[in-house]
Amino acid sequence: MVSLVSEFLGGGADTIVAIIEWTLAHLVIQPEVQGKLRREVDAVDTVSVDKSLRKMPYLHAVVLESLRMHPSVPFVPRRVRAEDATLLGETTVPTGDFNVRFFVGDIGRDRKTWTDPDEFQPERFLAGGEAEGVGPSAGPKEMKMMPFGAGHGFCPGMGLAMVNIKCFLATLVREFEWAPPAEGGGGVDMNDPNVFFKVMKKPLSTRVTRRTRSV
Ligand code: HEM
């Protein structure tokens, strides 16, 4: 019970914080994406953001693009059994029990699947884009990305996480302008440290201005 609660608290909080920080970093260095997202957020009734999420496809695309590039949990471990020696891609898997790690981050940046995988392009998830119809969970036939894992260990917090991240981001973009740090502030470092959770190596530093809007 204790480990279950700690898994929910640890896995449920740090992962969300990390993805919001990465997304804000992209919005800071790509002001055109921030502007487009803000126009969408401003256009809906955001008094109760959670009720308006369905009307914000660009917000959905922004979050998916962030999860594709920066999945908070970098790999998914599985214990598997091969009855016969099997050819998996270019690797021959021997007969018997063994551990496999699926590197979620590498799947999301696979050059055979994604065009310019190191570019933050939320539009790819919109209608007509190469990832139209791709969602946060792995598809039954094809797995273009799997930030929440797949199969029997699949993340039970996915739905909660998506709503949480979207509500937070929509509110942060509605209320504030996000700009790069003032000169000498060190810029935005998009590297991640080689640790388990994919956090930013250097915590995001930005200039934040409260928006003044006529009601
Ligand atoms: C951006 C947010 C999150 C990401 C990227 C994420 C990702 C993952 C991944 C990749 C796994 C392993 C899945 C597998 O083995 O196939 C996992 C497991 C898990 N996640 Fe999440 N997660 C997130 C948010 C949450 C939240 C909000 C909760 C709970 C409130 C949560 C609770 C759990 C639990 C309990 C497991 C273990 C499931 C099991 O072992 O059966 N996660 N998560």
Side-chain angles (χ1 to χ4, degrees), residues 67-127:
L67 285 164
R68 177 188 69 79
M69 291 184 75
H70 312 285
S72 324
V73 180
F75 66 83
V76 170
R78 287 289 183 274
R79 182 101 182 130
V80 295
R81 157 166 282 273
E83 302 294 343
D84 303 301
T86 318
L87 189 64
L88 207 65
E90 290 160 12
T91 311
T92 305
V93 178
T95 310
D97 287 347
F98 53 94
N99 296 316
V100 179
R101 284 178 176 181
F102 295 93
F103 282 86
V104 177
D106 291 351
I107 295 173
R109 300 227 191 185
D110 184 358
R111 296 199 168 273
K112 290 185 198 132
T113 305
W114 300 96
T115 311
D116 299 326
D118 297 330
E119 303 290 321
F120 188 81
Q121 296 171 357
E123 285 72 14
R124 65 174 99 231
F125 288 94
L126 298 178

Side-chain angles (χ1 to χ4, degrees), residues 33 119 173 186 215:
V33 176
E119 303 290 321
V173 166
V215 190

Side-chain angles (χ1 to χ4, degrees), residues 175-193:
E175 298 299 327
F176 303 100
E177 302 263 2
W178 300 82
E183 214 168 305
V188 177
D189 182 347
M190 296 304 280
N191 289 306
D192 60 74

